[in-house]
Amino acid sequence: MRSPTDIPPRARRLGRFSRRFWFGLAFVILLVGFLSLRNLAVLWTDQMWFSSVGLGRVFSTLLMVKLGLGLTFGAIFFFIMWGNLLLTDRFGARDLSFDPKTRSFVDSRTSFGRTPNGSTQQSRSSWV
C-alpha cells in the first residue's frame, strides 16, 4: 500500500468548470430544445396564419400578453417561495439532532417494538 504522500498531485485545470460540466450543460440545452420543438412549431404556424389573414399585430399582442402573464406570475411565485424559505430559516428549528434520550425518539423506537437498549418488547399500542 502506498502512502498518500507518494501519489503525485492531480494537475489543476486552467478552466473554471470541468469538461463534464460543459457536456452536461450542452445535454440539458439540447434536451430542452428538443422538447420545445412542438411548441415552437405551433407558435410558428399560428404566426404564419395570423400574418396570412392580415392580423399579425393581433398575434404579437397575444404573444406579449402571454409572456407578460407568465413572467409576472412566475416572479410572484418566486418571491412567495423565497419569503417562505426566509421565514423557515429564521423561525425554524435550529437543532435537529436525534439524541437517544429525546422523548419522541424513544417513543418512536418503543412503538416499533424495540427499546433504546436494542431488546424487543411488546408494543404499547395494541393492534388486536
Side-chain angles (χ1 to χ4, degrees):
M1 178 138 200
R2 293 172 55 175
S3 170
T5 57
D6 294 341
I7 301 172
R10 291 178 64 184
R12 289 190 58 105
R13 296 183 183 198
L14 296 177
R16 184 177 174 104
F17 297 108
S18 69
R19 186 176 294 158
R20 182 184 297 173
F21 170 78
W22 290 113
F23 281 127
L25 182 64
F27 177 74
V28 168
I29 289 172
L30 287 173
L31 182 66
V32 169
F34 179 73
L35 293 176
S36 63
L37 282 177
R38 181 182 179 274
N39 292 333
L40 291 174
V42 169
L43 185 69
W44 179 253
T45 55
D46 283 349
Q47 189 274 334
M48 287 190 321
W49 184 84
F50 276 98
S51 294
S52 70
V53 294
L55 298 173
R57 291 185 53 86
V58 173
F59 175 77
S60 61
T61 303
L62 284 173
L63 185 62
M64 289 302 133
V65 167
K66 287 180 182 181
L67 286 174
L69 286 172
L71 291 174
T72 301
F73 286 111
I76 290 171
F77 178 77
F78 172 78
F79 285 116
I80 287 173
M81 294 304 294
W82 189 35
N84 281 331
L85 288 173
L86 287 176
L87 289 173
T88 302
D89 185 45
R90 182 173 180 144
F91 298 115
R94 295 287 178 212
D95 184 23
L96 296 177
S97 63
F98 293 103
D99 185 19
K101 296 177 183 172
T102 306
R103 180 171 172 80
S104 62
F105 181 75
V106 173
D107 288 345
S108 68
R109 288 187 63 175
T110 56
S111 66
F112 287 112
R114 292 218 178 261
T115 59
N117 63 8
S119 65
T120 58
Q121 71 174 14
Q122 182 66 29
S123 176
R124 286 187 282 163
S125 62
S126 122
W127 291 93
V128 180

